[in-house]
């Protein structure tokens, strides 16, 4: 409860701060857009969609400068996920100044052997997108050929959970190919003592509608809501773009290959962009093509307004 209050108070201060002296609460960083899986429901790597883009990755110097800038601005939480597999980035864990941040890594689990006991001890959380309960659906759901990697992934999940189950979380995207395995997935999570999350595959893309067992459960209303994601968790893409969120079609606030994060964050145009997102429900102007129907503002706005009313 105390941490939630601190979180809400800082968010209020950030929205009121005209000079952007405080950094975001957390930052979602895609160190690379390359991935060794081609998950059917992935917006970037699914074989169901045409994808001809060349993978990007953040330069090491740029990444180190980003860490220094975020520490200076007081950001405490870093999330490594994005549109690629973060553990493909060479020596990522040794690059992160863990003494300055709480670190979460979201991975497909194929390279969990890179997270040894010492590295795991320094992380806040490891989230694995398992998306299977028995392994029968694992190759098809994740879009790879050859040896089934489910048992390999599960073995390393058990290894980490044996050290500290509170640091491990498993994700499950429900599709027509894996929904029958949900009970087995849940029983494994309960046996391991780890938290888990299930969600239906998004059907925003027509190509993905064939994957959904209940499209009505995967759709959202198109109401515009005030969005504070730019204050809470902006997104750093593998090409260096800094965006309000990872939504498709976002206007970059800047690029780390040209400017520092602090310069981008404090630029008047970036401040205005974040404010425009928080006023979308009044102006009727969406920030990008993903804003209508995005579920995140429902959570962020509720949290923000709860504390804003309390403070004022």
């Amino acid at each position: 409860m105390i941490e939630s209050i601190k979180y809400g108070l800082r968010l209020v201060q950030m929205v009121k701060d005209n000079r952007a002296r405080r950094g975001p609460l957390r930052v979602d960083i895609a160190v690379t857009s390359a991935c060794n899986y081609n998950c059917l429901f992935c917006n970037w790597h699914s074989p169901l969609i045409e994808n001809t883009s060349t993978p990007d990755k953040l330069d090491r110097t740029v990444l180190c400068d980003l860490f220094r800038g975020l520490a200076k601005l007081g950001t405490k939480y870093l999330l490594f996920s994005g549109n690629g597999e973060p553990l493909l980035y060479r020596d990522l864990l040794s690059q992160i100044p863990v003494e300055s941040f709480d670190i979460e890594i979201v991975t497909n689990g194929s390279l969990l052997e890179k997270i040894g006991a010492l590295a795991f001890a320094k992380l806040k959380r490891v989230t694995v997108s398992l998306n299977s309960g028995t392994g029968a659906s694992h190759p098809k759901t994740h879009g790879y050929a050859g040896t089934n990697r489910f048992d390999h992934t599960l073995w390393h999940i058990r290894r980490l959970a044996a050290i500290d189950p509170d640091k491990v979380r498993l994700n499950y995207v429900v599709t027509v190919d894996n929904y029958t395995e949900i009970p087995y997935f849940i029983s494994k999570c309960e046996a391991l003592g780890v938290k888990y999350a299930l969600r239906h595959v998004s059907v925003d893309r027509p190509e993905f509608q064939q994957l959904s067992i209940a499209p009505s459960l995967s759709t959202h209303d198109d109401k515009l809501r005030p969005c504070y994601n730019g204050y809470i968790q902006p997104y750093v893409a593998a090409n260096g773009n800094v965006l309000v969120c990872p939504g498709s079609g976002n206007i970059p606030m800047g690029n780390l290959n040209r400017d520092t994060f602090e310069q981008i964050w404090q630029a008047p145009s970036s401040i205005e962009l974040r404010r425009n997102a928080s006023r979308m429900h009044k102006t009727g102007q969406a920030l990008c093509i993903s804003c209508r129907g995005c579920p995140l503002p429902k959570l962020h706005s509720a949290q923000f307004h709860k504390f804003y009313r309390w403070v004022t």
Side-chain angles (χ1 to χ4, degrees), residues 141-201:
T141 299
H142 294 89
Y144 65 85
T147 304
N148 192 312
R149 302 175 192 172
F150 177 79
D151 289 338
H152 168 85
T153 303
L154 192 60
W155 189 91
H156 282 286
I157 291 172
R158 288 196 182 101
R159 173 178 64 85
L160 297 178
I163 300 173
D164 189 344
D166 290 334
K167 285 188 174 185
V168 179
R169 176 172 171 172
L170 302 186
N171 283 344
Y172 199 105
V173 178
V174 181
T175 72
V176 292
D177 298 308
N178 66 9
Y179 77 94
T180 59
E181 298 179 19
I182 293 176
Y184 303 103
F185 169 76
I186 294 176
S187 66
K188 284 181 171 60
C189 293
E190 292 175 342
L192 292 168
V194 301
K195 296 180 180 179
Y196 61 89
L198 296 94
R199 71 171 177 85
H200 285 268
V201 63

Side-chain angles (χ1 to χ4, degrees), residues 22-302:
R22 298 174 180 84
L25 296 174
R26 53 193 286 166
V27 177
D28 186 346
I29 304 173
V31 288
T32 178
S33 60
C35 193
N36 56 343
Y37 281 174
N38 296 290
C39 298
L40 291 177
F41 49 80
C42 177
N43 278 317
W44 298 276
H45 300 285
S46 173
L48 299 178
I49 60 177
E50 184 176 348
N51 186 358
T52 58
S53 60
T54 302
D56 295 304
K57 71 174 183 178
L58 287 175
D59 181 83
R60 290 187 184 276
T61 301
V62 170
L63 187 60
C64 290
D65 288 343
L66 173 62
F67 292 149
R68 283 192 290 269
L70 292 174
K72 181 180 177 181
L73 288 168
T75 297
K76 297 298 183 184
Y77 201 111
L78 301 184
L79 171 66
F80 291 90
S81 59
N83 58 339
E85 170 51 51
L87 292 179
L88 284 174
Y89 195 91
R90 185 177 177 182
D91 300 326
L92 172 63
L93 298 178
S94 64
Q95 301 292 317
I96 307 170
V98 293
E99 66 279 359
S100 301
F101 306 100
D102 288 333
I103 308 295
E104 178 180 355
I105 292 179
V106 178
T107 171
N108 60 33
S110 62
L111 300 171
L112 283 176
E113 62 271 15
K114 289 189 174 184
I115 304 180
L118 291 177
F120 184 61
K122 298 177 181 179
L123 298 176
K124 184 76 172 180
R125 177 184 290 170
V126 174
T127 297
V128 183
S129 299
L130 188 60
N131 305 317
S132 296
T134 65
S137 67
H138 199 261
K140 183 175 182 180
T141 299
H142 294 89
Y144 65 85
T147 304
N148 192 312
R149 302 175 192 172
F150 177 79
D151 289 338
H152 168 85
T153 303
L154 192 60
W155 189 91
H156 282 286
I157 291 172
R158 288 196 182 101
R159 173 178 64 85
L160 297 178
I163 300 173
D164 189 344
D166 290 334
K167 285 188 174 185
V168 179
R169 176 172 171 172
L170 302 186
N171 283 344
Y172 199 105
V173 178
V174 181
T175 72
V176 292
D177 298 308
N178 66 9
Y179 77 94
T180 59
E181 298 179 19
I182 293 176
Y184 303 103
F185 169 76
I186 294 176
S187 66
K188 284 181 171 60
C189 293
E190 292 175 342
L192 292 168
V194 301
K195 296 180 180 179
Y196 61 89
L198 296 94
R199 71 171 177 85
H200 285 268
V201 63
S202 171
V203 294
D204 292 339
R205 298 187 69 105
E207 299 94 329
F208 295 167
Q209 292 180 7
Q210 61 182 291
L211 302 177
S212 177
I213 59 172
S216 62
L217 297 177
S218 303
T219 56
H220 307 290
D221 62 65
D222 61 356
K223 181 180 179 181
L224 283 177
R225 294 175 172 83
C227 179
Y228 303 99
N229 203 78
Y231 299 96
I232 296 172
Q233 187 176 316
Y235 175 64
V236 175
N239 62 4
N241 280 341
V242 179
L243 303 104
V244 168
C245 78
S248 175
N250 261 315
I251 303 171
M253 293 187 283
N255 189 284
L256 295 175
N257 294 307
R258 297 189 297 268
D259 301 300
T260 67
F261 186 89
E262 186 176 9
Q263 290 171 331
I264 295 170
W265 180 257
Q266 295 177 341
S269 57
S270 297
I271 295 173
E272 186 61 22
L273 194 61
R274 293 193 291 273
R275 285 180 175 171
N276 287 341
S278 68
R279 298 193 296 242
M280 286 192 298
H281 62 302
K282 293 182 178 180
T283 64
Q285 298 295 317
L287 189 66
C288 73
I289 60 175
S290 299
C291 288
R292 293 187 181 278
C294 178
L296 292 179
K298 297 178 183 178
L299 171 63
H300 293 163
S301 297

